[in-house]
Amino acid sequence: FKTEKSRHFITTQDFTNEEIEMMLDLARDLKIKMASNIPTPYLLYKTLFLIFFDQSTRTRNSMEAGIAQLGGHANFLNPSTMQLSHGETPEDTARVLARMGHGIAVRACEFGKGNKYLRGMASVSQVPVMNLQDDVYHPFQVLADVMTMQERFGKNLRGLKVGISWAYAESHLKPLSVPQSQILLFTRLGMDVTLAYPEKFDLMPDIVKQAQENAEKYGGKLNISHKMEDAFVDAHVVIPKNWGGFFVSDDPEEIKAETAKHKDWICDEEKMKLTRPDSVYMHALPADRGKEVVDSVIDGPHSIIFDEAENRLHTAKAVMTLLMGGR
Ligand code: CP
């Protein structure tokens, strides 16, 4: 990007549609070059600091493998071995790391704290701060989702019918960041999005409001239903996953009781029959097989979950390249 100072990747809302397209175009180019064994040393000798407060398979490896493939290096930092475990502030941590490297990427999902931590770092950092999932957003995931949809349905996703459903709340709140980032970006790209979830499993009201505004501004749609089938009827894309809900209790017993009421909210072949013949099943992974989806769907002909997971790498490389000065 042409920019006077560092841009931070906390949410796709901070980027124009043209900038998002630029990220996706570069991701496609990087994917082709990787398949053709063409080197892409765009971040030669650059250092990325990776801080994970929470577990990860796809995100950590897409960043570590990605920066290595761009000619740079990642320092993986476990918070429990850093001074932030003794109370060093996000601002001081960012000031120090920014003196030593070229980018800081953080996963911090704790509700009420994660996004604040990232914003604190970004407020002082001289190098880009990238959000690897917080309590509100998961921007890298949604970028990979859009890339995967474009591979199936073409670059213009206007009018694409996307159903996002959930009912099973394995834990309180944490995973809301995925559907929240999805509705924010999908509506901006003109998609026709249906959310289906039982009452009490709402997303954060402010994010839903922003997504509705995006839909109005960019010609997308955001429909909300409390019937799972509504997310599947005539859909090009279905994304059923075990996201929690903003108003579900944080008491594990109550979550269990609430979840038990909705055991039939599982993605199975009957529900897939409601979708278009060329529909795709997507999932950010990890999947809770048998609870949110049956094996015959997640391993079946509609499933594109491993394309989606692979595209985490290409989109991560594109974002790092553009933010860390590789292009
Ligand atoms: N989808 C996703 O973010 O996966 P990880 O939690 O494994 O990084």
Side-chain angles (χ1 to χ4, degrees), residues 59-220:
T59 306
R60 174 177 174 178
N61 289 293
S62 62
M63 300 300 283
E64 283 200 44
I67 188 108
Q69 291 163 19
L70 294 167
H73 169 75
N75 271 15
F76 180 78
L77 301 167
N78 182 336
S80 67
T81 62
M82 294 172 73
Q83 294 297 3
L84 59 86
S85 62
H86 288 150
E88 189 161 24
T89 66
E91 290 81 5
D92 287 350
T93 307
R95 284 187 184 102
V96 171
L97 296 178
R99 296 280 189 111
M100 298 184 182
H102 307 89
I104 302 170
V106 183
R107 171 170 280 196
C109 297
E110 191 177 345
F111 183 67
K113 290 193 177 166
N115 187 258
K116 284 196 183 82
Y117 194 91
L118 275 137
R119 297 272 185 208
M121 283 192 142
S123 69
V124 298
S125 177
Q126 299 298 312
V127 301
V129 173
M130 289 167 265
N131 182 358
L132 302 179
Q133 188 176 27
D134 64 22
D135 51 328
V136 187
Y137 308 110
H138 195 352
F140 280 100
Q141 181 63 50
V142 70
L143 212 54
D145 292 346
V146 170
M147 180 178 180
T148 313
M149 290 173 175
Q150 288 181 326
E151 287 174 343
R152 283 293 163 139
F153 298 105
K155 258 183 98 169
N156 182 357
L157 298 175
R158 196 159 284 285
L160 197 81
K161 275 179 79 79
V162 181
I164 305 176
S165 67
W166 66 96
Y168 169 57
E170 186 186 54
S171 62
H172 177 56
L173 296 170
K174 175 179 146 181
L176 295 181
S177 56
V178 176
Q180 292 188 163
S181 281
Q182 287 171 336
I183 62 171
L184 288 171
L185 187 57
F186 294 173
T187 50
R188 274 174 56 186
L189 301 178
M191 296 185 213
D192 179 351
V193 182
T194 297
L195 300 182
Y197 57 88
E199 283 174 37
K200 288 211 242 179
F201 283 68
D202 304 70
L203 302 180
M204 293 175 179
D206 183 49
I207 299 289
V208 176
K209 186 166 163 278
Q210 283 180 57
Q212 274 158 345
E213 286 165 6
N214 285 350
E216 274 166 36
K217 186 168 170 195
Y218 295 99

Side-chain angles (χ1 to χ4, degrees), residues 273-303:
K273 279 186 195 151
L274 300 172
T275 66
R276 293 167 50 104
D278 61 345
S279 70
V280 294
Y281 165 88
M282 296 180 69
H283 193 299
L285 300 179
D288 204 347
R289 288 169 179 258
K291 283 189 177 154
E292 51 185 19
V293 62
V294 297
D295 286 343
S296 58
V297 170
I298 194 166
D299 297 326
H302 294 275
S303 177

